Amino acid sequence: HAGGIAFLACAPTQTLGGLVFALFGCLYMVLGTFLEERRLARDLGPLWEAYALRVPMFLPFFGNRQK
């Protein structure tokens, strides 16, 4: 998700239509990530909770949530 947000937000030139698309696209990705994590927590229970404590939400290869 972070890559998609960066792709939409960092266009070198932006028209008004492109800016609106990028804003809504970024909002969709952020909101979708939170909803997806909630669904995974519901479906997978403790397995997901243990994973989510170890791995950050948007950039999984940078550090961990638990410090």
Side-chain angles (χ1 to χ4, degrees):
H1 295 119
I5 292 170
F7 178 76
L8 288 172
C10 296
T13 58
Q14 197 72 271
T15 63
L16 180 59
L19 179 63
V20 170
F21 179 79
L23 288 173
F24 280 103
C26 290
L27 180 64
Y28 174 81
M29 286 187 209
V30 170
L31 182 61
T33 300
F34 285 107
L35 293 174
E36 179 183 22
E37 288 222 351
R38 185 172 14 162
R39 182 187 57 82
L40 288 167
R42 183 190 69 227
D43 292 348
L44 301 175
L47 264 102
W48 177 257
E49 296 296 330
Y51 174 80
L53 286 173
R54 291 190 325 269
V55 180
M57 185 184 302
F58 287 103
L59 295 171
F61 42 85
F62 287 114
N64 64 24
R65 287 185 184 172
Q66 206 174 41
K67 293 207 178 207

Short mmCIF file of all heavy atoms in Angstrom, two decimals:
data_model
loop_
_atom_site.label_atom_id
_atom_site.label_comp_id
_atom_site.label_asym_id
_atom_site.label_seq_id
_atom_site.Cartn_x
_atom_site.Cartn_y
_atom_site.Cartn_z
N HIS A 1 0.81 -1.19 0.00
CA HIS A 1 0.00 0.00 0.00
C HIS A 1 0.86 1.26 0.00
O HIS A 1 0.48 2.26 -0.62
CB HIS A 1 -0.94 -0.01 1.19
CG HIS A 1 -1.95 -1.11 1.11
ND1 HIS A 1 -2.01 -2.10 2.05
CD2 HIS A 1 -2.90 -1.40 0.21
CE1 HIS A 1 -2.98 -2.93 1.74
NE2 HIS A 1 -3.53 -2.53 0.62
N ALA A 2 1.96 1.23 0.70
CA ALA A 2 2.81 2.41 0.77
C ALA A 2 3.36 2.76 -0.61
O ALA A 2 3.47 3.94 -0.96
CB ALA A 2 3.95 2.20 1.76
N GLY A 3 3.66 1.78 -1.41
CA GLY A 3 4.15 2.02 -2.76
C GLY A 3 3.09 2.67 -3.64
O GLY A 3 3.40 3.57 -4.42
N GLY A 4 1.86 2.24 -3.52
CA GLY A 4 0.78 2.85 -4.28
C GLY A 4 0.55 4.29 -3.87
O GLY A 4 0.31 5.16 -4.72
N ILE A 5 0.61 4.56 -2.58
CA ILE A 5 0.45 5.93 -2.09
C ILE A 5 1.59 6.80 -2.61
O ILE A 5 1.36 7.92 -3.09
CB ILE A 5 0.38 5.95 -0.56
CG1 ILE A 5 -0.92 5.29 -0.09
CG2 ILE A 5 0.49 7.37 -0.02
CD1 ILE A 5 -0.99 5.04 1.40
N ALA A 6 2.81 6.31 -2.54
CA ALA A 6 3.95 7.08 -3.04
C ALA A 6 3.83 7.33 -4.54
O ALA A 6 4.11 8.43 -5.01
CB ALA A 6 5.25 6.34 -2.72
N PHE A 7 3.39 6.32 -5.28
CA PHE A 7 3.22 6.47 -6.73
C PHE A 7 2.20 7.56 -7.06
O PHE A 7 2.42 8.39 -7.93
CB PHE A 7 2.78 5.13 -7.34
CG PHE A 7 2.53 5.19 -8.81
CD1 PHE A 7 3.58 5.22 -9.70
CD2 PHE A 7 1.24 5.22 -9.30
CE1 PHE A 7 3.35 5.28 -11.06
CE2 PHE A 7 0.99 5.28 -10.66
CZ PHE A 7 2.06 5.31 -11.55
N LEU A 8 1.07 7.56 -6.34
CA LEU A 8 0.03 8.55 -6.60
C LEU A 8 0.43 9.96 -6.14
O LEU A 8 0.14 10.95 -6.80
CB LEU A 8 -1.28 8.15 -5.91
CG LEU A 8 -2.02 6.98 -6.52
CD1 LEU A 8 -3.19 6.58 -5.63
CD2 LEU A 8 -2.51 7.30 -7.92
N ALA A 9 1.08 10.03 -4.99
CA ALA A 9 1.37 11.33 -4.39
C ALA A 9 2.59 12.02 -4.99
O ALA A 9 2.70 13.24 -4.89
CB ALA A 9 1.57 11.16 -2.89
N CYS A 10 3.47 11.28 -5.62
CA CYS A 10 4.75 11.86 -6.05
C CYS A 10 4.86 12.03 -7.56
O CYS A 10 5.96 11.98 -8.11
CB CYS A 10 5.90 11.00 -5.54
SG CYS A 10 5.99 10.97 -3.75
N ALA A 11 3.76 12.25 -8.23
CA ALA A 11 3.81 12.48 -9.67
C ALA A 11 4.56 13.79 -9.93
O ALA A 11 4.32 14.79 -9.24
CB ALA A 11 2.40 12.55 -10.24
N PRO A 12 5.47 13.84 -10.91
CA PRO A 12 6.27 15.04 -11.14
C PRO A 12 5.43 16.25 -11.58
O PRO A 12 5.72 17.38 -11.22
CB PRO A 12 7.25 14.64 -12.23
CG PRO A 12 6.72 13.40 -12.82
CD PRO A 12 5.81 12.76 -11.80
N THR A 13 4.41 16.02 -12.38
CA THR A 13 3.49 17.10 -12.76
C THR A 13 2.08 16.61 -12.45
O THR A 13 1.78 15.43 -12.59
CB THR A 13 3.60 17.45 -14.25
OG1 THR A 13 3.34 16.28 -15.02
CG2 THR A 13 4.98 18.00 -14.58
N GLN A 14 1.23 17.54 -12.06
CA GLN A 14 -0.09 17.14 -11.60
C GLN A 14 -1.14 18.11 -12.13
O GLN A 14 -1.03 19.32 -11.92
CB GLN A 14 -0.09 17.13 -10.06
CG GLN A 14 -1.20 16.38 -9.40
CD GLN A 14 -1.07 14.90 -9.54
OE1 GLN A 14 -1.56 14.33 -10.50
NE2 GLN A 14 -0.42 14.26 -8.59
N THR A 15 -2.13 17.59 -12.82
CA THR A 15 -3.27 18.42 -13.21
C THR A 15 -4.26 18.41 -12.05
O THR A 15 -4.11 17.63 -11.11
CB THR A 15 -3.96 17.84 -14.46
OG1 THR A 15 -4.47 16.55 -14.14
CG2 THR A 15 -2.99 17.74 -15.64
N LEU A 16 -5.28 19.23 -12.13
CA LEU A 16 -6.28 19.25 -11.07
C LEU A 16 -6.99 17.89 -10.99
O LEU A 16 -7.19 17.36 -9.89
CB LEU A 16 -7.30 20.37 -11.30
CG LEU A 16 -8.40 20.49 -10.24
CD1 LEU A 16 -7.80 20.73 -8.86
CD2 LEU A 16 -9.37 21.58 -10.61
N GLY A 17 -7.33 17.34 -12.12
CA GLY A 17 -7.96 16.01 -12.15
C GLY A 17 -7.05 14.94 -11.57
O GLY A 17 -7.48 14.07 -10.83
N GLY A 18 -5.77 15.01 -11.91
CA GLY A 18 -4.80 14.06 -11.38
C GLY A 18 -4.62 14.20 -9.89
O GLY A 18 -4.47 13.22 -9.17
N LEU A 19 -4.66 15.45 -9.41
CA LEU A 19 -4.54 15.69 -7.98
C LEU A 19 -5.73 15.13 -7.21
O LEU A 19 -5.58 14.48 -6.19
CB LEU A 19 -4.40 17.19 -7.70
CG LEU A 19 -4.28 17.59 -6.24
CD1 LEU A 19 -3.02 17.00 -5.62
CD2 LEU A 19 -4.29 19.10 -6.10
N VAL A 20 -6.92 15.36 -7.74
CA VAL A 20 -8.13 14.81 -7.10
C VAL A 20 -8.07 13.29 -7.09
O VAL A 20 -8.37 12.64 -6.08
CB VAL A 20 -9.40 15.32 -7.82
CG1 VAL A 20 -10.64 14.59 -7.32
CG2 VAL A 20 -9.55 16.82 -7.62
N PHE A 21 -7.67 12.71 -8.22
CA PHE A 21 -7.53 11.25 -8.29
C PHE A 21 -6.51 10.74 -7.27
O PHE A 21 -6.75 9.76 -6.57
CB PHE A 21 -7.12 10.82 -9.70
CG PHE A 21 -6.93 9.35 -9.85
CD1 PHE A 21 -8.02 8.51 -9.99
CD2 PHE A 21 -5.66 8.80 -9.85
CE1 PHE A 21 -7.85 7.13 -10.11
CE2 PHE A 21 -5.47 7.43 -9.97
CZ PHE A 21 -6.58 6.59 -10.11
N ALA A 22 -5.38 11.42 -7.17
CA ALA A 22 -4.34 11.02 -6.22
C ALA A 22 -4.83 11.13 -4.78
O ALA A 22 -4.57 10.23 -3.97
CB ALA A 22 -3.08 11.86 -6.42
N LEU A 23 -5.54 12.20 -4.46
CA LEU A 23 -6.04 12.36 -3.09
C LEU A 23 -7.03 11.26 -2.72
O LEU A 23 -6.93 10.64 -1.66
CB LEU A 23 -6.69 13.73 -2.92
CG LEU A 23 -5.75 14.92 -2.88
CD1 LEU A 23 -6.53 16.23 -2.88
CD2 LEU A 23 -4.85 14.85 -1.67
N PHE A 24 -7.99 11.01 -3.61
CA PHE A 24 -8.96 9.96 -3.32
C PHE A 24 -8.33 8.57 -3.36
O PHE A 24 -8.69 7.69 -2.59
CB PHE A 24 -10.16 10.05 -4.27
CG PHE A 24 -11.14 11.09 -3.86
CD1 PHE A 24 -11.19 12.30 -4.52
CD2 PHE A 24 -12.00 10.88 -2.80
CE1 PHE A 24 -12.09 13.29 -4.14
CE2 PHE A 24 -12.90 11.85 -2.40
CZ PHE A 24 -12.95 13.06 -3.07
N GLY A 25 -7.37 8.38 -4.25
CA GLY A 25 -6.66 7.09 -4.30
C GLY A 25 -5.88 6.82 -3.02
O GLY A 25 -5.91 5.72 -2.49
N CYS A 26 -5.19 7.84 -2.51
CA CYS A 26 -4.45 7.69 -1.26
C CYS A 26 -5.39 7.44 -0.09
O CYS A 26 -5.13 6.58 0.76
CB CYS A 26 -3.59 8.92 -1.00
SG CYS A 26 -2.19 9.09 -2.13
N LEU A 27 -6.48 8.19 -0.04
CA LEU A 27 -7.47 7.99 1.02
C LEU A 27 -8.04 6.58 0.97
O LEU A 27 -8.18 5.91 2.00
CB LEU A 27 -8.59 9.02 0.90
CG LEU A 27 -9.71 8.93 1.93
CD1 LEU A 27 -9.15 9.22 3.32
CD2 LEU A 27 -10.82 9.90 1.58
N TYR A 28 -8.34 6.11 -0.24
CA TYR A 28 -8.86 4.75 -0.41
C TYR A 28 -7.86 3.70 0.09
O TYR A 28 -8.24 2.75 0.77
CB TYR A 28 -9.18 4.52 -1.90
CG TYR A 28 -9.58 3.11 -2.23
CD1 TYR A 28 -10.88 2.68 -2.00
CD2 TYR A 28 -8.67 2.22 -2.78
CE1 TYR A 28 -11.26 1.39 -2.31
CE2 TYR A 28 -9.04 0.93 -3.09
CZ TYR A 28 -10.34 0.52 -2.85
OH TYR A 28 -10.70 -0.78 -3.14
N MET A 29 -6.60 3.89 -0.22
CA MET A 29 -5.59 2.92 0.20
C MET A 29 -5.40 2.91 1.72
O MET A 29 -5.27 1.85 2.33
CB MET A 29 -4.26 3.19 -0.50
CG MET A 29 -4.28 2.79 -1.94
SD MET A 29 -2.64 2.95 -2.64
CE MET A 29 -3.06 3.29 -4.32
N VAL A 30 -5.37 4.08 2.33
CA VAL A 30 -5.21 4.15 3.78
C VAL A 30 -6.42 3.54 4.48
O VAL A 30 -6.29 2.70 5.37
CB VAL A 30 -4.96 5.60 4.25
CG1 VAL A 30 -5.03 5.71 5.75
CG2 VAL A 30 -3.62 6.09 3.73
N LEU A 31 -7.61 3.95 4.07
CA LEU A 31 -8.83 3.42 4.68
C LEU A 31 -8.94 1.92 4.43
O LEU A 31 -9.28 1.14 5.33
CB LEU A 31 -10.06 4.14 4.11
CG LEU A 31 -11.40 3.74 4.68
CD1 LEU A 31 -11.45 4.01 6.18
CD2 LEU A 31 -12.51 4.47 3.97
N GLY A 32 -8.62 1.50 3.20
CA GLY A 32 -8.65 0.07 2.87
C GLY A 32 -7.70 -0.75 3.72
O GLY A 32 -8.01 -1.87 4.11
N THR A 33 -6.55 -0.19 4.03
CA THR A 33 -5.58 -0.90 4.86
C THR A 33 -6.13 -1.13 6.26
O THR A 33 -6.03 -2.23 6.81
CB THR A 33 -4.26 -0.10 4.94
OG1 THR A 33 -3.75 0.04 3.62
CG2 THR A 33 -3.24 -0.81 5.80
N PHE A 34 -6.74 -0.10 6.84
CA PHE A 34 -7.32 -0.26 8.18
C PHE A 34 -8.47 -1.26 8.18
O PHE A 34 -8.57 -2.10 9.08
CB PHE A 34 -7.80 1.09 8.73
CG PHE A 34 -6.68 1.97 9.18
CD1 PHE A 34 -6.31 3.07 8.44
CD2 PHE A 34 -5.98 1.68 10.34
CE1 PHE A 34 -5.27 3.88 8.84
CE2 PHE A 34 -4.93 2.48 10.75
CZ PHE A 34 -4.58 3.59 10.00
N LEU A 35 -9.31 -1.21 7.15
CA LEU A 35 -10.43 -2.16 7.07
C LEU A 35 -9.93 -3.59 6.84
O LEU A 35 -10.46 -4.54 7.40
CB LEU A 35 -11.40 -1.74 5.96
CG LEU A 35 -12.15 -0.44 6.20
CD1 LEU A 35 -12.96 -0.06 4.97
CD2 LEU A 35 -13.02 -0.52 7.44
N GLU A 36 -8.89 -3.73 6.02
CA GLU A 36 -8.32 -5.05 5.77
C GLU A 36 -7.72 -5.63 7.05
O GLU A 36 -7.91 -6.81 7.36
CB GLU A 36 -7.25 -4.95 4.69
CG GLU A 36 -6.57 -6.27 4.38
CD GLU A 36 -5.47 -6.12 3.35
OE1 GLU A 36 -4.93 -5.01 3.17
OE2 GLU A 36 -5.12 -7.14 2.75
N GLU A 37 -7.03 -4.81 7.81
CA GLU A 37 -6.44 -5.30 9.06
C GLU A 37 -7.52 -5.71 10.05
O GLU A 37 -7.38 -6.70 10.76
CB GLU A 37 -5.50 -4.26 9.67
CG GLU A 37 -4.23 -4.12 8.88
CD GLU A 37 -3.01 -4.01 9.74
OE1 GLU A 37 -3.13 -3.86 10.97
OE2 GLU A 37 -1.91 -4.08 9.17
N ARG A 38 -8.61 -4.96 10.09
CA ARG A 38 -9.71 -5.33 10.99
C ARG A 38 -10.32 -6.66 10.58
O ARG A 38 -10.63 -7.51 11.40
CB ARG A 38 -10.77 -4.23 10.99
CG ARG A 38 -11.83 -4.52 12.01
CD ARG A 38 -12.84 -3.46 12.25
NE ARG A 38 -12.93 -2.37 11.32
CZ ARG A 38 -13.96 -1.58 11.21
NH1 ARG A 38 -15.01 -1.76 12.00
NH2 ARG A 38 -13.98 -0.60 10.36
N ARG A 39 -10.51 -6.85 9.25
CA ARG A 39 -11.07 -8.11 8.76
C ARG A 39 -10.13 -9.28 9.05
O ARG A 39 -10.57 -10.35 9.48
CB ARG A 39 -11.34 -8.02 7.25
CG ARG A 39 -11.96 -9.30 6.69
CD ARG A 39 -12.06 -9.27 5.18
NE ARG A 39 -10.79 -9.05 4.52
CZ ARG A 39 -9.89 -10.01 4.27
NH1 ARG A 39 -10.10 -11.26 4.67
NH2 ARG A 39 -8.77 -9.73 3.65
N LEU A 40 -8.84 -9.08 8.84
CA LEU A 40 -7.88 -10.14 9.12
C LEU A 40 -7.86 -10.49 10.61
O LEU A 40 -7.76 -11.66 10.97
CB LEU A 40 -6.48 -9.73 8.65
CG LEU A 40 -6.30 -9.72 7.14
CD1 LEU A 40 -5.01 -9.01 6.77
CD2 LEU A 40 -6.33 -11.12 6.58
N ALA A 41 -7.96 -9.49 11.47
CA ALA A 41 -8.01 -9.75 12.91
C ALA A 41 -9.25 -10.57 13.26
O ALA A 41 -9.19 -11.49 14.08
CB ALA A 41 -8.00 -8.44 13.69
N ARG A 42 -10.37 -10.25 12.62
CA ARG A 42 -11.60 -11.00 12.88
C ARG A 42 -11.49 -12.44 12.36
O ARG A 42 -11.86 -13.38 13.04
CB ARG A 42 -12.78 -10.29 12.21
CG ARG A 42 -14.12 -10.96 12.49
CD ARG A 42 -15.24 -10.40 11.63
NE ARG A 42 -15.00 -10.81 10.24
CZ ARG A 42 -15.07 -10.01 9.18
NH1 ARG A 42 -15.34 -8.73 9.35
NH2 ARG A 42 -14.85 -10.47 7.98
N ASP A 43 -10.96 -12.61 11.15
CA ASP A 43 -10.90 -13.93 10.52
C ASP A 43 -9.82 -14.83 11.10
O ASP A 43 -10.02 -16.04 11.22
CB ASP A 43 -10.68 -13.80 9.02
CG ASP A 43 -11.87 -13.19 8.30
OD1 ASP A 43 -12.95 -13.05 8.91
OD2 ASP A 43 -11.71 -12.83 7.11
N LEU A 44 -8.66 -14.26 11.44
CA LEU A 44 -7.53 -15.09 11.85
C LEU A 44 -7.26 -15.08 13.35
O LEU A 44 -6.47 -15.88 13.84
CB LEU A 44 -6.27 -14.64 11.10
CG LEU A 44 -6.35 -14.73 9.58
CD1 LEU A 44 -5.10 -14.16 8.95
CD2 LEU A 44 -6.59 -16.16 9.13
N GLY A 45 -7.86 -14.13 14.06
CA GLY A 45 -7.76 -14.08 15.51
C GLY A 45 -6.35 -13.93 16.03
O GLY A 45 -5.60 -13.05 15.60
N PRO A 46 -5.96 -14.81 16.97
CA PRO A 46 -4.67 -14.68 17.63
C PRO A 46 -3.46 -14.76 16.69
O PRO A 46 -2.45 -14.11 16.93
CB PRO A 46 -4.63 -15.85 18.61
CG PRO A 46 -6.03 -16.31 18.75
CD PRO A 46 -6.75 -15.91 17.50
N LEU A 47 -3.58 -15.52 15.62
CA LEU A 47 -2.47 -15.59 14.67
C LEU A 47 -2.19 -14.22 14.06
O LEU A 47 -1.04 -13.80 13.95
CB LEU A 47 -2.79 -16.58 13.54
CG LEU A 47 -2.24 -17.96 13.74
CD1 LEU A 47 -3.34 -18.89 14.20
CD2 LEU A 47 -1.64 -18.40 12.46
N TRP A 48 -3.26 -13.53 13.67
CA TRP A 48 -3.09 -12.20 13.10
C TRP A 48 -2.58 -11.22 14.14
O TRP A 48 -1.73 -10.39 13.85
CB TRP A 48 -4.38 -11.69 12.48
CG TRP A 48 -4.19 -10.30 11.98
CD1 TRP A 48 -4.61 -9.16 12.56
CD2 TRP A 48 -3.44 -9.91 10.83
NE1 TRP A 48 -4.20 -8.07 11.84
CE2 TRP A 48 -3.47 -8.50 10.77
CE3 TRP A 48 -2.76 -10.59 9.84
CZ2 TRP A 48 -2.84 -7.79 9.76
CZ3 TRP A 48 -2.13 -9.88 8.84
CH2 TRP A 48 -2.17 -8.49 8.80
N GLU A 49 -3.11 -11.30 15.34
CA GLU A 49 -2.69 -10.37 16.40
C GLU A 49 -1.19 -10.50 16.65
O GLU A 49 -0.49 -9.50 16.79
CB GLU A 49 -3.46 -10.64 17.69
CG GLU A 49 -4.95 -10.36 17.57
CD GLU A 49 -5.28 -8.92 17.30
OE1 GLU A 49 -4.53 -8.03 17.73
OE2 GLU A 49 -6.30 -8.67 16.64
N ALA A 50 -0.68 -11.73 16.69
CA ALA A 50 0.75 -11.95 16.91
C ALA A 50 1.56 -11.38 15.74
O ALA A 50 2.60 -10.75 15.94
CB ALA A 50 1.03 -13.43 17.09
N TYR A 51 1.08 -11.61 14.53
CA TYR A 51 1.78 -11.08 13.34
C TYR A 51 1.76 -9.55 13.34
O TYR A 51 2.78 -8.91 13.08
CB TYR A 51 1.11 -11.62 12.08
CG TYR A 51 1.65 -11.02 10.81
CD1 TYR A 51 2.85 -11.48 10.27
CD2 TYR A 51 0.99 -10.00 10.15
CE1 TYR A 51 3.37 -10.92 9.12
CE2 TYR A 51 1.50 -9.43 9.00
CZ TYR A 51 2.70 -9.91 8.48
OH TYR A 51 3.20 -9.35 7.35
N ALA A 52 0.60 -8.96 13.63
CA ALA A 52 0.46 -7.50 13.60
C ALA A 52 1.33 -6.83 14.66
O ALA A 52 1.75 -5.69 14.47
CB ALA A 52 -1.00 -7.12 13.78
N LEU A 53 1.60 -7.50 15.74
CA LEU A 53 2.49 -6.93 16.76
C LEU A 53 3.94 -6.88 16.29
O LEU A 53 4.70 -6.02 16.70
CB LEU A 53 2.40 -7.72 18.06
CG LEU A 53 1.13 -7.52 18.87
CD1 LEU A 53 1.10 -8.49 20.06
CD2 LEU A 53 1.02 -6.09 19.36
N ARG A 54 4.30 -7.82 15.41
CA ARG A 54 5.69 -7.89 14.93
C ARG A 54 5.95 -7.05 13.70
O ARG A 54 7.08 -6.62 13.47
CB ARG A 54 6.04 -9.35 14.59
CG ARG A 54 6.16 -10.28 15.74
CD ARG A 54 6.76 -11.63 15.33
NE ARG A 54 6.40 -12.10 14.01
CZ ARG A 54 5.34 -12.88 13.73
NH1 ARG A 54 4.52 -13.22 14.69
NH2 ARG A 54 5.11 -13.28 12.51
N VAL A 55 4.94 -6.83 12.86
CA VAL A 55 5.15 -6.24 11.54
C VAL A 55 4.36 -4.93 11.42
O VAL A 55 3.16 -4.91 11.64
CB VAL A 55 4.70 -7.23 10.44
CG1 VAL A 55 4.89 -6.64 9.07
CG2 VAL A 55 5.45 -8.54 10.57
N PRO A 56 5.02 -3.83 11.04
CA PRO A 56 4.31 -2.55 10.86
C PRO A 56 3.28 -2.63 9.72
O PRO A 56 3.40 -3.44 8.81
CB PRO A 56 5.41 -1.57 10.49
CG PRO A 56 6.67 -2.21 10.92
CD PRO A 56 6.45 -3.69 10.85
N MET A 57 2.30 -1.74 9.78
CA MET A 57 1.18 -1.78 8.85
C MET A 57 1.56 -1.39 7.43
O MET A 57 1.24 -2.07 6.47
CB MET A 57 0.07 -0.87 9.35
CG MET A 57 -1.19 -0.93 8.53
SD MET A 57 -2.46 0.22 9.07
CE MET A 57 -2.71 -0.25 10.75
N PHE A 58 2.25 -0.27 7.23
CA PHE A 58 2.47 0.25 5.89
C PHE A 58 3.82 -0.12 5.29
O PHE A 58 3.93 -0.32 4.10
CB PHE A 58 2.30 1.77 5.86
CG PHE A 58 0.87 2.20 5.99
CD1 PHE A 58 0.39 2.68 7.18
CD2 PHE A 58 0.01 2.07 4.92
CE1 PHE A 58 -0.93 3.05 7.30
CE2 PHE A 58 -1.32 2.44 5.02
CZ PHE A 58 -1.79 2.94 6.22
N LEU A 59 4.86 -0.18 6.09
CA LEU A 59 6.19 -0.53 5.58
C LEU A 59 6.73 -1.71 6.38
O LEU A 59 7.49 -1.54 7.33
CB LEU A 59 7.14 0.67 5.71
CG LEU A 59 6.77 1.88 4.86
CD1 LEU A 59 7.65 3.06 5.23
CD2 LEU A 59 6.88 1.56 3.39
N PRO A 60 6.34 -2.93 6.01
CA PRO A 60 6.66 -4.10 6.82
C PRO A 60 8.14 -4.39 6.99
O PRO A 60 8.53 -5.06 7.91
CB PRO A 60 5.97 -5.25 6.09
CG PRO A 60 5.57 -4.74 4.78
CD PRO A 60 5.59 -3.25 4.83
N PHE A 61 9.00 -3.85 6.12
CA PHE A 61 10.42 -4.16 6.22
C PHE A 61 11.20 -3.13 7.04
O PHE A 61 12.40 -3.20 7.13
CB PHE A 61 11.03 -4.32 4.83
CG PHE A 61 10.56 -3.29 3.85
CD1 PHE A 61 11.16 -2.06 3.75
CD2 PHE A 61 9.47 -3.57 3.05
CE1 PHE A 61 10.72 -1.11 2.87
CE2 PHE A 61 9.01 -2.63 2.16
CZ PHE A 61 9.63 -1.41 2.06
N PHE A 62 10.52 -2.15 7.64
CA PHE A 62 11.18 -1.16 8.47
C PHE A 62 10.76 -1.31 9.92
O PHE A 62 9.71 -0.82 10.33
CB PHE A 62 10.87 0.27 8.01
CG PHE A 62 11.56 0.66 6.74
CD1 PHE A 62 10.84 0.92 5.60
CD2 PHE A 62 12.93 0.76 6.70
CE1 PHE A 62 11.47 1.28 4.43
CE2 PHE A 62 13.58 1.11 5.53
CZ PHE A 62 12.85 1.36 4.40
N GLY A 63 11.58 -1.98 10.71
CA GLY A 63 11.32 -2.09 12.14
C GLY A 63 10.11 -2.94 12.48
O GLY A 63 9.64 -3.72 11.68
N ASN A 64 9.63 -2.76 13.72
CA ASN A 64 8.43 -3.46 14.14
C ASN A 64 7.58 -2.57 15.00
O ASN A 64 8.00 -1.53 15.46
CB ASN A 64 8.77 -4.78 14.85
CG ASN A 64 9.52 -4.56 16.15
OD1 ASN A 64 9.43 -3.52 16.76
ND2 ASN A 64 10.25 -5.56 16.56
N ARG A 65 6.36 -2.97 15.23
CA ARG A 65 5.42 -2.16 16.01
C ARG A 65 5.74 -2.20 17.49
O ARG A 65 5.48 -1.27 18.21
CB ARG A 65 3.99 -2.67 15.81
CG ARG A 65 3.42 -2.35 14.49
CD ARG A 65 1.99 -2.79 14.47
NE ARG A 65 1.42 -2.57 13.14
CZ ARG A 65 0.26 -2.98 12.78
NH1 ARG A 65 -0.51 -3.66 13.60
NH2 ARG A 65 -0.19 -2.74 11.57
N GLN A 66 6.24 -3.31 17.93
CA GLN A 66 6.46 -3.52 19.36
C GLN A 66 7.86 -3.06 19.73
O GLN A 66 8.85 -3.60 19.28
CB GLN A 66 6.30 -5.01 19.66
CG GLN A 66 5.89 -5.31 21.04
CD GLN A 66 5.63 -6.79 21.17
OE1 GLN A 66 6.38 -7.60 20.64
NE2 GLN A 66 4.58 -7.14 21.88
N LYS A 67 7.96 -2.03 20.55
CA LYS A 67 9.28 -1.54 20.96
C LYS A 67 9.31 -1.29 22.42
O LYS A 67 8.38 -0.99 23.05
CB LYS A 67 9.61 -0.26 20.20
CG LYS A 67 9.78 -0.54 18.75
CD LYS A 67 10.70 0.46 18.12
CE LYS A 67 10.83 0.04 16.66
NZ LYS A 67 11.92 0.35 15.99
#
